Amino acid sequence: MAKKAASSYMTSLERILGGLFFAVYLLVLPFASDPLFAGLERLLGRDLPGNVRSIISYYLLFALTLVIFWNYLGRTTGYFLSAPWRTLGTAAVGLVAFYGLNELCYRAIALVLEGQQNLNDVAISAQIDDAPRSTVLIVVALAPFVEEVLFRGFVFGNIRQHSRVAAYVVSCLLFAFLHVWQFAVVSHSLTYFLLMLQYLAPGLVLSWVYDRSGTLWGSILLHAAVNALAVWQVL
């Protein structure tokens, strides 16, 4: 039942609009947000601090996610409420697996990419120092929600109907690609793409929790918990 529930939520309209939204989120926004905010600042006649830009961006992404995937979210929430303890148990197992696999991957990657700095982590740490409250809200609540709907609900869930293996591979690779590609472009370094390896274990575990629990809320809760623990270590 869980497998069917995890792979049969999306309607045709949700898949079409979701595909457009996903493409913009993955490929356009990382470099389009600054020009868009520059135009907004000219209209307002004032500069917007970086933390204000970030919170506006994620509130808009959160709202668009709700609008586009409203029916899907209703169905996956209903499935979660029908068996909440099973979902929470699966997420707990996922949390243990996450830290086990992540530690192994981190040590392996450190041997291959000694001294390579993760610019995504650096950027988040700087944002926490600059605006801790808004950054925590984004990292712990808004970003996990948006990313899980897109990468697990949209990508994994729809591909899973045709091939479980392909669903795991594609969703994990795209999730890893999201976190490194803009930094690879900015740093003009193709070797930076090797840091995608750092995100394969998280993508794998999050996909497994979604697949196993049959509801998106399993992976959302796990993603939020992992990010909260990471932020707590920084603070």
Side-chain angles (χ1 to χ4, degrees):
M1 183 175 182
K3 295 177 184 176
K4 181 180 179 182
S7 63
S8 60
Y9 280 146
M10 296 281 177
T11 65
S12 297
L13 182 60
E14 286 170 332
R15 287 195 291 269
I16 294 171
L17 295 179
L20 294 173
F21 182 39
F22 179 78
V24 170
Y25 180 80
L26 181 65
L27 301 174
V28 178
L29 281 184
F31 290 109
S33 59
D34 283 343
L36 289 173
F37 275 111
L40 178 61
E41 288 173 341
R42 285 193 294 270
L43 288 174
L44 297 175
R46 56 172 296 184
D47 292 335
L48 296 175
N51 65 304
V52 174
R53 287 186 172 197
S54 295
I55 201 69
I56 291 174
S57 296
Y58 272 95
Y59 270 129
L60 289 174
L61 290 170
F62 179 79
L64 282 172
T65 302
L66 286 177
V67 171
I68 293 172
F69 299 103
W70 180 258
N71 291 326
Y72 160 74
L73 288 167
R75 288 187 289 272
T76 197
T77 299
Y79 192 82
F80 165 64
L81 294 175
S82 69
W85 293 111
R86 178 175 57 198
T87 301
L88 294 174
T90 303
V93 172
L95 186 64
V96 175
F98 175 91
Y99 280 104
L101 289 175
N102 204 45
E103 182 65 22
L104 291 174
C105 289
Y106 180 81
R107 292 181 181 275
I109 293 168
L111 296 175
V112 178
L113 300 174
E114 185 177 359
Q116 177 68 66
Q117 192 175 41
N118 189 318
L119 298 178
N120 183 63
D121 292 345
V122 172
I124 292 175
S125 295
Q127 291 170 8
I128 291 175
D129 291 338
D130 181 54
R133 292 182 179 178
S134 60
T135 303
V136 168
L137 175 62
I138 291 170
V139 172
V140 176
L142 300 179
F145 180 83
V146 173
E147 290 182 2
E148 290 310 304
V149 172
L150 291 176
F151 288 93
R152 255 56 66 180
F154 177 74
V155 175
F156 182 93
N158 285 302
I159 297 177
R160 173 66 179 81
Q161 298 181 63
H162 308 286
S163 170
R164 173 186 285 180
V165 173
Y168 275 99
V169 172
V170 174
S171 62
C172 289
L173 287 176
L174 289 175
F175 184 68
F177 181 75
L178 168 73
H179 289 85
V180 303
W181 82 270
Q182 63 267 45
F183 298 106
V185 172
V186 170
S187 62
H188 303 288
S189 173
L190 291 177
T191 59
Y192 192 83
F193 278 107
L194 292 174
L195 277 179
M196 285 177 62
L197 296 171
Q198 185 175 336
Y199 295 95
L200 294 180
L204 175 65
V205 175
L206 288 166
S207 294
W208 177 83
V209 169
Y210 172 55
D211 191 27
R212 181 69 176 177
S213 67
T215 172
L216 189 68
W217 287 104
S219 60
I220 290 175
L221 292 172
L222 174 58
H223 198 156
V226 167
N227 284 6
L229 290 171
V231 169
W232 179 72
Q233 291 178 343
V234 173
L235 295 175

